[in-house]
Amino acid sequence: MAETAITAVLSKFGELASREAAVLLQVGNDIMLLRDRLEWLQAFVRDADRRRRLASDDFTRVWVRQTRDVAFDAEDALDHFFHKVDLEAQGYRGWRIWRRYLTGCTTQISVRHDLSGQIKRIKSRLDQISENHKEFKIEHTPGAWTSSITEVAAWDNIGDAPVGFDGYLRALENHLLSHEHTPQQRFISILGETGIGKSTLMLTICNKIIKDHENHFDKYLVILGGINSITVLNCVKASLPDNRNGSRVVLILEPESQEVAKHADTLNKKVDADSKNISGSTIQLGRLNESQSAELFCRRVYGYNYTKPRGYKVSYNEQVFKITGGHPLAIVVLAGLLRSKEMPVEWDSVLQQLMPGIEAGESQGNKIAGVLLTKEKPFEWDALLQQLMPTTEAKLSNRMTIERIFSTSFDDLPHDLKSCFLYFAAYPTNITHPADQIMRMWIAEGFIKPEKGKNMEDLAQEYLKELISRFLVEVKYRNECEKIELVQVHNRLLRFLQSEAREASFIEIHDNTDVLAPAAVRRLSIQNDSGNYIPFGNRFPKLRSFICRVEEEEGASATPDLKNDPKNIPRKDPLKFLCGSKFLRVISIGGIHLAELPDAIGDMIHLRYIGVTSCDLENLPSSIGRLLNLQTLDIRNSKVKIIAPKFWRIKTLRHVIAAQLQLPNSVGELNNLQTLHGVKPAENWGGLTCPLDMMTNLQSLELHGFNDANHGVALERALQKLELLGHLKLTGDKIPSSVFTAPSLRYVESLVLDGDIKWADNSSNTSNYSPEVALGICELRPNLTVLKLNSVSKELEEFMEKIRPHLTVYECPTRTDA
């Protein structure tokens, strides 16, 4: 797949034009011609990728691969140029041998000449590829419909109630709540193919039980997925106590785990052999019928309380059922695809393309014919055809209902969104993603196309909402302000994405049993759930992203036996292999026991995102101050307390998230900084100014460890300048009253305060806790929906009750006497 590669290099052309106007005077014409050629190719490869999946044209496959490789070369040339320019600007250790070379007008001309030469060679390769395109008559079929962004206003207007689950819900509820008749521990199996709705069923029943039977539970409920052997099930049973209080264990199983479900029934019969209330404890989920399919489809397209618009054809119901086979996940993804299309013209075109028919039949027929040509007829033919035909129909049906819908929906995504969606392939199944983190990584990668008048985070939010609107990404959790906190991609969709990512050379995915990654890899993902991490021995000179998720042993930092395990000893050089990766933009690491980052990280001046969630990390090298492009530093679980002063002068910083990081008195102009979490001030700010004065565009601030004597005056003055602040968390001995009274904080939605409120001197006869003051606070904080106070006096608690009706969330766990 060449489309994402071309998209990446086109974004670099935009970056080049915005950063280096002088370059365009020397090589501008060559750059523009190459950019134009790639834009044309981008339109062609969209169709070529679709035909590549049908395996019907080897010429097309080769053309797509060669086009992708040329796009990679162009990206390398531009990144190499950026690297030289940035190093020249820095002039720091590690580049001294180039420093004299990169000085003055002669150097500028030489660097631009080098870039110009590379671009000309790349254009020559593209010319040859174009000639091959003509010679081998590679066809191009324009898309039958347009790809566009869905109206954002409708992105969240969707129904989430399951369809066709009534019988399953009753059966599952009976099994879970039958403790009066069967108090023994019981296993309940939910069996069904991937995407059929097993997890949705379990989530629905849990919400119902919590709501309706919260006071009737004195047992445990364990929900387990991924158990695929009887041996593991026996171990689970042996580890769970049976106190005969109605405890239940729910197993979410794939069809190939039927023997596990049968064994679970056997275990149930052994423990309650005397009971007369024994019944099968396996719930087998099936596909939806035609009317249920139509109901689910319409809910997803039009919302829960939908009304079908004029022009909706009754035949659509039949077509949807034939295409999806009643598979819920297929129905949902198809609904997400059609939500962005015009009805009836584009709807008819999409549905016609997806209907099981000649195209799929020919593709499957060619594969069968190829097998038959290797056999002796008629004897081997008859036997082979008899063996193949029943399974072929089932496999083709499953592929038609799932894979073709996935690929069509993926192909329909706008260019930039494809890269964003593919990024989820870097992570293993069954995990949720913090939305903020994934969007910051998109920005760091350059996937988000700048738009005048919008900041990059708002644009990334629009991209995420578009993927949610198309039902390619699920929202798993929202915070009290209704902000999206956690998202997830369905496991079946994720496996499709990982296949696409590998085919496109978008990302290499490895675990500890497979550590031989090619040197030309551009993105590297380590996915491992054993708690082990084996560093690579080779280098990756073209690497752009390193994403590592290793599951830590639970309690490894606290349990002596686990701490002494060699694999849990903090490492000092597990990232040494990255030292030659000068184009790195993203480092995201979770689960590795890191003591420190390598000093050579300061040479990776393309770095825009560093995320390390290691509780063993105590130090960051001083060279981090040389990362003049850094946007995000996320070390929220670390023990890092001090960073080199030069770090606080990086103008591109947008998000700094830590746990106990000291904020120095002197910082540079950080006008781009939006998030500052987990910091505490230096010993004494003194005077009327503080470092927050240099961060006037902050949107989220979490500050702790301050005291009124050393920081109070400067903090109160600084808060009055933070007009864009939406979230504020303060922990100190005295909380300035300006958090409630400063006119500038009108955008604040969430306040979390731990400390006594220090009210300003009141010259009038009005009490600080009067109804007039409460009304004034409500008028000054029109967006405030969440207020959490650690402790308040009786007088303040009564006062807050006057504000409470205006809030969505109000927490005040303890009260102290005034």
Side-chain angles (χ1 to χ4, degrees):
M1 186 175 67
E3 188 179 356
T4 53
I6 295 176
T7 300
V9 72
L10 287 176
S11 72
K12 298 290 173 66
F13 281 123
E15 185 178 344
L16 178 66
S18 64
R19 286 183 52 179
E20 298 296 328
V23 175
L24 299 180
L25 298 177
Q26 290 287 333
V27 294
N29 189 50
D30 290 331
I31 285 179
M32 293 304 105
L33 289 175
L34 178 58
R35 185 199 63 185
D36 293 345
R37 176 73 66 85
L38 289 173
E39 285 179 343
W40 276 104
L41 282 173
Q42 192 174 43
F44 278 83
V45 296
R46 177 183 289 269
D47 171 66
D49 274 330
R50 180 185 65 82
R51 295 195 292 120
R52 167 186 58 79
R53 292 192 187 90
L54 299 176
S56 59
D57 188 349
D58 287 339
F59 290 140
T60 298
R61 185 182 294 274
V62 172
W63 178 72
V64 169
R65 178 177 55 78
Q66 290 183 349
T67 302
R68 179 199 66 204
D69 291 344
V70 172
F72 283 162
D73 289 344
E75 184 183 23
D76 289 344
L78 292 174
D79 278 345
H80 183 67
F81 172 80
F82 290 146
H83 189 73
K84 284 187 174 182
V85 170
D86 287 342
L87 285 173
E88 178 200 358
Q90 290 289 79
Y92 56 73
R93 181 184 60 82
W95 196 251
R96 289 173 181 169
I97 61 173
W98 285 95
R99 198 170 180 181
R100 183 176 301 174
Y101 175 70
L102 289 175
T103 310
C105 181
T106 303
T107 297
Q108 294 293 328
I109 294 174
S110 176
V111 171
R112 291 196 292 269
H113 179 74
D114 184 37
L115 176 61
S116 179
Q118 293 185 65
I119 288 176
K120 287 177 180 178
R121 287 190 291 272
I122 290 167
K123 280 182 76 277
S124 178
R125 284 191 63 191
L126 280 177
D127 290 340
Q128 184 59 54
I129 291 173
S130 297
E131 288 300 318
N132 294 339
H133 185 277
K134 297 174 184 177
E135 180 180 350
F136 295 105
K137 299 179 181 179
I138 300 174
E139 298 178 354
H140 169 61
T141 306
W145 61 83
T146 58
S147 299
S148 59
I149 298 292
T150 309
E151 288 296 327
V152 176
W155 78 274
D156 204 20
N157 182 27
I158 56 178
D160 199 28
V163 174
F165 274 16
D166 292 346
Y168 301 136
L169 287 170
R170 286 193 296 271
L172 184 54
E173 187 173 7
N174 288 337
H175 283 305
L176 292 175
L177 300 178
S178 61
H179 50 278
E180 293 182 1
H181 302 291
T182 53
Q184 301 90 338
Q185 174 201 73
R186 290 183 65 81
F187 288 86
I188 304 161
S189 301
I190 302 177
L191 198 66
E193 59 185 309
T194 302
I196 204 72
K198 302 185 293 293
S199 297
T200 302
L201 173 65
M202 197 63 234
L203 180 63
T204 304
I205 196 66
C206 284
N207 290 336
K208 186 177 189 301
I209 287 176
I210 292 173
K211 180 180 178 182
D212 299 343
H213 305 278
E214 184 177 3
N215 297 326
H216 300 280
F217 270 72
D218 55 357
K219 61 185 180 180
Y220 62 74
L221 172 62
V222 178
I223 304 169
L224 298 172
I227 294 182
N228 52 16
S229 76
I230 292 174
T231 302
V232 173
L233 181 58
N234 287 335
C235 293
V236 169
K237 177 170 177 56
S239 64
L240 294 174
D242 183 6
N243 297 323
R244 299 181 65 85
N245 59 356
S247 296
R248 299 291 183 259
V249 181
V250 179
L251 307 176
I252 299 178
L253 303 173
E254 300 297 313
E256 55 268 23
S257 299
Q258 289 188 20
E259 292 301 317
V260 176
K262 290 179 182 179
H263 186 65
D265 276 341
T266 302
L267 294 177
N268 291 338
K269 292 174 183 178
K270 286 182 179 179
V271 298
D272 50 19
D274 297 332
S275 174
K276 298 180 179 180
N277 298 300
I278 295 296
S279 61
S281 57
T282 297
I283 299 175
Q284 176 78 51
L285 269 61
R287 297 191 176 191
L288 305 179
N289 60 34
E290 184 172 332
S291 63
Q292 292 169 336
S293 298
E295 176 70 13
L296 176 60
F297 176 76
C298 289
R299 284 189 184 184
R300 290 296 185 171
V301 173
Y302 302 117
Y304 183 74
N305 297 313
Y306 67 89
T307 301
K308 294 178 183 177
R310 291 183 60 185
Y312 186 93
K313 302 177 184 178
V314 177
S315 61
Y316 288 155
N317 296 344
E318 181 182 357
Q319 288 177 290
V320 167
F321 183 66
K322 284 184 177 179
I323 291 169
T324 64
H327 191 284
L329 179 60
I331 294 169
V332 168
V333 175
L334 178 59
L337 172 62
L338 292 177
R339 288 186 85 211
S340 63
K341 304 296 170 219
E342 293 290 335
M343 188 176 64
V345 177
E346 290 185 330
W347 275 45
D348 292 344
S349 178
V350 173
L351 293 172
Q352 182 180 0
Q353 176 180 314
L354 288 172
M355 284 293 286
I358 297 174
E359 186 180 61
E362 287 182 350
S363 176
Q364 189 68 21
N366 290 338
K367 294 179 181 179
I368 296 174
V371 176
L372 292 177
L373 288 174
T374 66
K375 304 299 179 183
E376 182 180 350
K377 58 180 181 181
F379 306 103
E380 291 181 313
W381 278 37
D382 292 341
L384 186 60
L385 285 171
Q386 186 176 3
Q387 179 183 352
L388 282 176
M389 293 314 293
T391 57
T392 298
E393 182 179 354
K395 289 180 179 178
L396 178 61
S397 174
N398 188 58
R399 181 175 178 179
M400 291 292 292
T401 57
I402 304 295
E403 300 301 327
R404 287 196 66 209
I405 293 174
F406 287 178
S407 61
T408 303
S409 183
F410 177 76
D411 289 340
D412 183 67
L413 290 172
H415 305 303
D416 305 312
L417 266 180
K418 281 186 179 175
S419 298
C420 293
F421 190 36
L422 276 176
Y423 216 67
F424 287 100
Y427 294 91
T429 57
N430 297 313
I431 69 166
T432 56
H433 306 270
D436 284 345
Q437 289 183 19
I438 204 79
M439 288 188 291
R440 289 164 188 165
M441 294 167 78
W442 290 349
I443 294 170
E445 282 274 8
F447 295 159
I448 309 301
K449 186 182 297 183
E451 290 185 24
K452 189 175 182 179
K454 295 183 178 180
N455 71 35
M456 300 299 283
E457 284 74 14
D458 290 342
L459 289 170
Q461 185 83 4
E462 290 181 12
Y463 281 39
L464 180 62
K465 288 179 178 179
E466 177 65 17
L467 292 173
I468 294 168
S469 174
R470 291 171 179 257
F471 305 118
L472 299 175
V473 174
E474 305 171 63
V475 177
K476 303 304 291 186
Y477 176 71
R478 299 173 187 271
N479 64 15
E480 296 98 333
C481 298
E482 287 300 305
K483 180 184 175 183
I484 300 171
E485 287 280 342
L486 297 175
V487 296
Q488 188 174 30
V489 175
H490 193 281
N491 287 349
R492 184 123 190 201
L493 262 173
L494 187 60
R495 286 193 285 270
F496 164 80
L497 278 182
Q498 290 174 341
S499 174
E500 286 291 310
R502 281 189 291 265
E503 177 69 26
S505 295
F506 182 85
I507 194 165
E508 287 278 340
I509 303 169
H510 294 264
D511 59 23
N512 281 349
T513 63
D514 180 17
V515 294
L516 297 176
V521 64
R522 307 181 85 76
R523 295 180 184 87
L524 181 60
S525 169
I526 306 299
Q527 303 177 5
N528 182 268
D529 58 3
S530 67
N532 293 314
Y533 172 73
I534 302 175
F536 290 84
N538 53 325
R539 300 293 177 95
F540 304 100
K542 297 187 177 184
L543 194 66
R544 266 69 178 182
S545 296
F546 176 65
I547 299 172
C548 176
R549 187 181 177 94
V550 177
E551 294 296 327
E552 291 187 79
E553 293 284 350
E554 187 173 351
S557 298
T559 307
D561 291 340
L562 290 176
K563 285 184 70 174
N564 295 327
D565 191 320
K567 70 183 180 183
N568 292 322
I569 297 175
R571 301 171 181 265
K572 291 191 175 183
D573 58 352
L575 305 180
K576 189 176 180 180
F577 68 93
L578 294 177
C579 293
S581 305
K582 63 182 180 181
F583 297 150
L584 257 180
R585 283 177 167 245
V586 171
I587 294 178
S588 177
I589 299 171
I592 301 178
H593 296 277
L594 280 174
E596 59 187 30
L597 298 181
D599 184 65
I601 200 171
D603 297 334
M604 306 172 191
I605 56 176
H606 283 278
L607 265 177
R608 285 153 170 79
Y609 182 98
I610 299 176
V612 181
T613 58
S614 173
C615 59
D616 298 300
L617 184 66
E618 296 183 356
N619 299 298
L620 293 178
S622 59
S623 63
I624 199 171
R626 300 201 298 259
L627 299 177
L628 74 168
N629 293 304
L630 190 64
Q631 298 171 353
T632 299
L633 177 68
D634 189 342
I635 50 172
R636 67 185 68 197
N637 295 326
S638 75
K639 300 174 183 176
V640 176
K641 296 181 179 180
I642 297 177
I643 299 183
K646 197 173 180 181
F647 167 83
W648 295 103
R649 300 189 179 277
I650 299 175
K651 295 182 179 180
T652 55
L653 283 177
R654 305 177 77 87
H655 310 281
V656 177
I657 301 137
Q660 44 189 316
L661 188 62
Q662 185 178 94
L663 180 63
N665 288 351
S666 176
V667 300
E669 291 188 9
L670 300 177
N671 294 327
N672 291 309
L673 193 62
Q674 300 176 24
T675 307
L676 184 63
H677 287 183
V679 295
K680 60 180 181 179
E683 292 184 3
N684 192 338
W685 277 349
L688 302 178
T689 62
C690 72
L692 297 178
D693 295 331
M694 309 299 286
M695 311 170 185
T696 54
N697 289 315
L698 272 179
Q699 297 179 19
S700 184
L701 172 63
E702 296 188 358
L703 182 72
H704 67 273
F706 62 88
N707 61 74
D708 184 57
N710 295 325
H711 311 102
V713 175
L715 175 60
E716 179 148 13
R717 291 175 62 90
L719 289 175
Q720 297 179 32
K721 301 175 184 178
L722 302 180
E723 298 183 354
L724 300 180
L725 209 59
H727 168 74
L728 177 61
K729 179 179 180 180
L730 297 176
T731 302
D733 63 340
K734 297 289 183 181
I735 306 296
S737 60
S738 57
V739 298
F740 293 114
T741 59
S744 56
L745 300 180
R746 298 181 66 85
Y747 288 172
V748 169
E749 297 178 331
S750 171
L751 278 177
V752 181
L753 308 176
D754 186 355
D756 296 332
I757 307 297
K758 180 187 177 183
W759 295 99
D761 293 336
N762 192 345
S763 57
S764 67
N765 295 324
T766 306
S767 168
N768 285 322
Y769 300 116
S770 68
E772 292 80 9
V773 174
L775 179 62
I777 290 176
C778 294
E779 292 176 349
L780 289 171
R781 300 290 175 268
N783 295 295
L784 184 62
T785 57
V786 177
L787 177 59
K788 298 180 180 181
L789 305 175
N790 185 60
S791 62
V792 296
S793 65
K794 180 179 179 181
E795 187 179 20
L796 182 57
E797 182 180 32
E798 293 173 352
F799 172 71
M800 288 301 172
E801 288 295 324
K802 301 167 186 173
I803 302 176
R804 188 170 184 173
H806 300 270
L807 304 172
T808 303
V809 176
Y810 173 70
E811 294 182 7
C812 179
T814 60
R815 189 186 77 197
T816 59
D817 292 333

